[in-house]
Amino acid sequence: MPEINTATGASATFTAAAAANAAPKRTGNGDLGQQDFLSLMTAQLQNQDPFAPMENGEFLAQMAQFSTVAGLDRVNTTLSDIGSQIGGNRIATASSLLGQQVLVPGTLARPDASGGVHGVADLPEAASAVSVIYSDAETGVELHRQDMGAQPAGLMGFDWDGLPPEIVAARGAVRVAIEVDGDTPAEPFVYARVVGVQMPEGGQDMTLRVEDYGLRSSLEITDIR
């Protein structure tokens, strides 16, 4: 019996030393990777004490732990890739918005590339007579009155392509007013050009710089043409 105890102690000493020699040598503060884990486990299995081999439960627990860590690494890598793709898509979206016409609440409109102004009126209730009045934004002189007739409640689109050539050439501003049944004004929305885009850090929504209307959150934009 004493001889067996001595052999067991020697075997245990040999096992620890062999495992230490077989384990991969690392320097610095680098994390263990998959290859490092497999090397350690192989060394552990090859040099385990034959009188006290590793239990199946211990082996499975180590494998499960490594699988969990490896899975988390893959998730982090995937999320990082998704973040990079989203960033690229945001840049592409921002560049595509430059020069586009977006719908904003307001009365000031400028001619688009085709020389017309466009917008939408929000009618709170049905009206028997609706008119859209276009006037020079600088002088206040009425340029055109557009009779839309009877209109139901809701959104009513309007546009005018007959602006004076000098206003079209200079992209001058036109003031838009909506008359409902002769005297009740309705809130107009006009299409204005996007002249800049800001992308805040932290994944927040883009901010658009709209001509004549300053900075507007992209969440406020409901239509683009």
Side-chain angles (χ1 to χ4, degrees), residues 39-104:
S39 298
L40 287 171
M41 179 157 290
T42 301
Q44 186 178 11
L45 292 174
Q46 290 176 344
N47 300 284
Q48 63 182 329
D49 186 353
F51 295 98
M54 180 184 296
E55 296 289 340
N56 291 338
E58 295 176 349
F59 178 76
L60 293 176
Q62 291 186 17
M63 291 296 295
Q65 184 178 12
F66 176 74
S67 297
T68 300
V69 174
L72 291 175
D73 287 341
R74 287 193 294 269
V75 169
N76 290 334
T77 301
T78 301
L79 290 177
S80 178
D81 293 341
I82 292 175
S84 299
Q85 292 175 7
I86 291 176
N89 290 338
R90 284 164 59 86
I91 294 175
T93 301
S95 62
S96 67
L97 287 174
L98 290 174
Q100 297 292 320
Q101 300 272 326
V102 295
L103 191 64
V104 295

Side-chain angles (χ1 to χ4, degrees), residues 113-134:
S114 62
V117 294
H118 312 269
V120 174
D122 187 7
L123 303 178
E125 57 186 19
S128 58
V130 179
S131 297
V132 183
I133 302 170
Y134 305 89

Side-chain angles (χ1 to χ4, degrees), residues 90-91 93-95 97-98 194-201 203-210 214-219:
R90 284 164 59 86
I91 294 175
T93 301
S95 62
L97 287 174
L98 290 174
V194 177
V195 296
V197 181
Q198 295 181 359
M199 293 186 298
E201 297 180 357
Q204 299 178 3
D205 296 299
M206 292 183 295
T207 301
L208 308 181
R209 185 178 298 278
V210 183
L215 297 178
R216 299 283 175 142
S217 170
S218 58
L219 295 179

